């Protein structure tokens, strides 16, 4: 039953480890050392007094060797917390990975841990590795900042490693996002999922339920198949026997019988072969020249179809049209009609 399940109340914290829990201290002395690159030497010189001061509160000694280029942490007789040396080891590891001291000293708290993710060997090609590592940062570091806000972790991308510092739940998400990015899965998909989970965790009713129905499911798009080359190199069948040795000039002469001919006969044969080749070349050249004199093929004459005599001509109708055209007065009047008209006009004037 759900009522019988043990749940951690909100805001509960594990009590701190004190001297009363281990009054006699540790039996043996433990120590850890790590190397740091040359470019971190100047920064470590400046912040080393702060490192010693923060570790002395937990009774852990720290030494910086600039000649060898190493940092060492060791327990003392007063050290009562056995896990303090592990935290001190993580502290010097993070300092060597270019994490600033302002973030590193948080590792000494109980609810903070670190994770150093090695990404150098996950991608073969160097160019692809740089491109995918750049996706973690995003434009002007926006993707990394979003990831830090969602996981409550400090993330440092340096060289072939990604250093993360924060709570255990956040470190788990950071590792998943980093490894997925190196596997060519864009971090924006995981960031969307984390944003949805953050909103769902605020609802007390949904805490005990499955969130699968709310989380987005991203499908992989199948890329187009590679174009096949025009010339395919087909592998020949393997044979244990070597290829036959090519015939030499002497072998060819022996096979044709030319080897046994005299020098004059050989020369005569060569001259005949040259003449035969010349005759063939002349013949081909002449054929190409004669092509210009070959007349082109004429197109066949297409016979015109006779006009169909199905429609009969109406002669009477044409005669009537001609008569009507004669009656119509078109253009200038004939001379007789002009004279008559002029005479009629004169008579009218006299009457007046």
């Amino acid at each position: 039953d759900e009522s019988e399940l043990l749940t951690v109340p909100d805001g509960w914290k594990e009590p701190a480890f004190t001297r009363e829990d281990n009054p006699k201290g540790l039996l043996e002395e433990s120590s850890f050392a790590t190397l740091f690159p040359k470019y971190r030497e100047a920064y470590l010189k400046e912040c080393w007094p702060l490192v010693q001061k923060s570790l002395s509160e937990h009774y852990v000694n720290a030494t910086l060797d600039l000649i060898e280029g190493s940092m060492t942490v060791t327990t003392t007789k007063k050290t009562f917390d056995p896990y303090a040396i592990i935290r001190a080891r993580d502290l010097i590891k993070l300092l060597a990975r270019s994490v600033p001291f302002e973030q590193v000293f948080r590792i000494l708290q109980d609810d903070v841990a670190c994770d150093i993710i090695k990404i150098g060997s996950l991608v073969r090609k160097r160019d692809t590795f740089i491109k995918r590592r750049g996706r973690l940062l995003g434009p002007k570091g926006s993707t990394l900042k979003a990831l830090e806000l969602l996981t409550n972790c400090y993330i440092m991308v340096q060289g072939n490693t990604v250093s993360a510092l924060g709570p255990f739940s956040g470190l788990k998400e950071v590792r998943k996002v980093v490894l997925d990015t190196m596997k060519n899965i864009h971090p924006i998909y995981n960031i969307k999922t984390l944003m949805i989970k953050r909103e769902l965790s605020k609802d007390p009713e949904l805490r005990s339920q499955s969130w699968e129905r709310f989380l987005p499911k991203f499908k992989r798009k199948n890329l187009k198949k590679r174009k096949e080359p025009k010339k395919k190199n087909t592998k020949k069948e393997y044979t244990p026997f070597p290829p036959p040795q090519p015939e030499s000039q002497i072998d060819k002469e022996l096979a044709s019988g030319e080897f046994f001919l005299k020098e004059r006969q050989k020369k005569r044969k060569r001259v005949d072969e040259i003449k035969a080749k010349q005759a063939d070349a002349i013949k081909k050249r002449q054929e190409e020249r004669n092509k210009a004199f070959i007349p082109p093929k004429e197109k066949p004459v297409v016979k015109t179809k006779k006009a169909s005599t199905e429609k009969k001509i109406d002669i009477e109708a044409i005669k009537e049209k001609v008569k009507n055209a004669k009656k119509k007065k078109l253009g200038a009047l004939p001379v007789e009609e002009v004279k008559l008209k002029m005479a009629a006009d004169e008579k009218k004037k006299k009457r007046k």
Side-chain angles (χ1 to χ4, degrees):
D1 296 334
E2 290 183 4
S3 59
E4 292 180 2
L5 293 172
L6 294 171
T7 54
V8 179
D10 293 336
W12 181 85
K13 282 186 178 181
E14 194 174 344
F17 195 86
T18 59
R19 183 166 289 281
E20 293 173 3
D21 297 320
N22 187 17
K24 294 181 180 180
L26 303 176
L27 293 171
E28 293 290 335
E29 185 182 299
S30 302
S31 66
F32 288 101
T34 186
L35 299 171
F36 60 86
K38 187 73 176 174
Y39 62 85
R40 291 291 288 169
E41 188 178 320
Y43 180 79
L44 291 172
K45 267 186 191 178
E46 291 177 8
C47 71
W48 197 249
L50 296 171
V51 174
Q52 287 179 324
K53 186 181 177 183
S54 58
L55 288 175
S56 63
E57 293 174 4
H58 298 270
Y59 304 102
V60 177
N61 288 335
T63 54
L64 177 67
D65 190 351
L66 296 173
I67 297 165
E68 192 182 345
S70 66
M71 295 177 282
T72 311
V73 288
T74 55
T75 56
T76 60
K77 291 179 180 179
K78 291 183 180 180
T79 309
F80 61 89
D81 188 358
Y83 201 72
I85 189 65
I86 303 297
R87 288 177 184 150
R89 179 201 66 181
D90 293 341
L91 185 141
I92 59 173
K93 270 189 180 181
L94 291 170
L95 281 172
R97 295 285 174 190
S98 299
V99 181
F101 179 76
E102 290 78 10
Q103 296 290 337
V104 167
F105 81 96
R106 289 169 52 211
I107 196 71
L108 301 172
Q109 298 172 15
D110 288 338
D111 56 344
V112 178
C114 75
D115 189 9
I116 296 169
I117 307 156
K118 294 179 180 179
I119 57 173
S121 60
L122 296 176
V123 184
R124 286 183 182 178
K125 292 182 180 178
R126 184 70 183 168
D127 295 340
T128 312
F129 169 72
I130 292 164
K131 189 179 178 182
R132 290 180 188 176
R133 187 180 63 183
R135 284 181 192 169
L136 277 173
L137 299 169
K140 296 180 182 178
S142 57
T143 307
L144 195 69
K145 191 67 181 173
L147 201 60
E148 285 180 349
L149 291 169
L150 289 167
T151 57
N152 297 322
C153 293
Y154 175 81
I155 305 165
M156 181 72 184
V157 181
Q158 175 74 14
N160 293 333
T161 57
V162 177
S163 305
L165 185 74
F168 292 99
S169 58
L171 292 174
K172 187 180 175 182
E173 296 293 344
V174 170
R175 178 171 274 273
K176 184 180 179 298
V177 173
V178 170
L179 294 177
D180 283 352
T181 306
M182 289 295 121
K183 290 175 185 174
N184 203 20
I185 298 167
H186 204 279
I188 195 68
Y189 299 125
N190 288 310
I191 286 169
K192 281 183 181 179
T193 308
L194 288 171
M195 288 170 74
I196 294 163
K197 282 181 179 178
R198 192 179 188 182
E199 294 299 319
L200 291 170
S201 62
K202 293 176 183 177
D203 192 348
E205 293 180 3
L206 293 170
R207 281 186 182 179
S208 59
Q209 296 179 14
S210 177
W211 293 349
E212 287 293 324
R213 56 201 171 108
F214 300 109
L215 299 177
K217 293 176 182 177
F218 302 104
K219 291 182 180 178
R220 282 191 175 185
K221 291 181 180 179
N222 293 328
L223 297 171
K224 289 181 180 179
K225 290 182 179 178
R226 186 175 68 87
K227 289 182 180 178
E228 293 183 359
K230 290 180 180 178
K231 293 180 180 179
K232 291 183 179 179
N233 296 327
T234 54
K235 287 186 178 180
K236 296 178 181 178
E237 292 182 3
Y238 173 73
T239 53
F241 307 105
Q245 194 173 1
E247 290 184 348
S248 63
Q249 189 66 27
I250 295 167
D251 293 335
K252 290 176 183 177
E253 288 178 0
L254 286 167
S256 61
E258 191 181 344
F259 183 79
F260 303 104
L261 296 174
K262 292 178 181 179
E263 193 64 32
R264 286 181 184 178
Q265 291 173 332
K266 286 180 182 180
K267 282 183 180 179
R268 186 68 185 168
K269 192 177 181 182
R270 284 176 208 153
V271 170
D272 291 341
E273 286 176 0
I274 291 164
K275 284 182 179 179
K277 283 181 182 179
Q278 287 175 350
D280 290 337
I282 290 163
K283 191 178 180 182
K284 285 179 182 178
R285 210 178 299 123
Q286 196 65 35
E287 285 176 0
E288 286 178 3
R289 286 175 183 172
N290 292 338
K291 280 181 184 178
F293 300 103
I294 297 169
K297 290 182 179 180
E298 294 182 359
K299 292 180 181 179
V301 180
V302 180
K303 291 181 180 180
T304 54
K305 293 180 180 179
K306 291 180 180 179
S308 59
T309 56
E310 291 178 2
K311 293 180 180 179
K312 292 180 180 180
I313 299 165
D314 193 356
I315 296 166
E316 295 296 328
I318 292 167
K319 284 180 179 180
E320 286 181 7
K321 283 182 180 179
V322 171
K323 282 180 183 180
N324 292 332
K326 284 180 180 180
K327 286 178 183 179
K328 288 179 181 179
K329 292 178 181 180
L330 298 170
L333 295 169
V335 178
E336 293 177 357
E337 287 183 8
V338 171
K339 286 179 181 180
L340 290 169
K341 199 173 183 181
M342 288 174 70
D345 290 339
E346 285 177 1
K347 284 179 182 181
K348 284 180 181 179
K349 285 179 182 180
K350 285 177 181 180
R351 285 174 187 175
K352 287 178 180 180

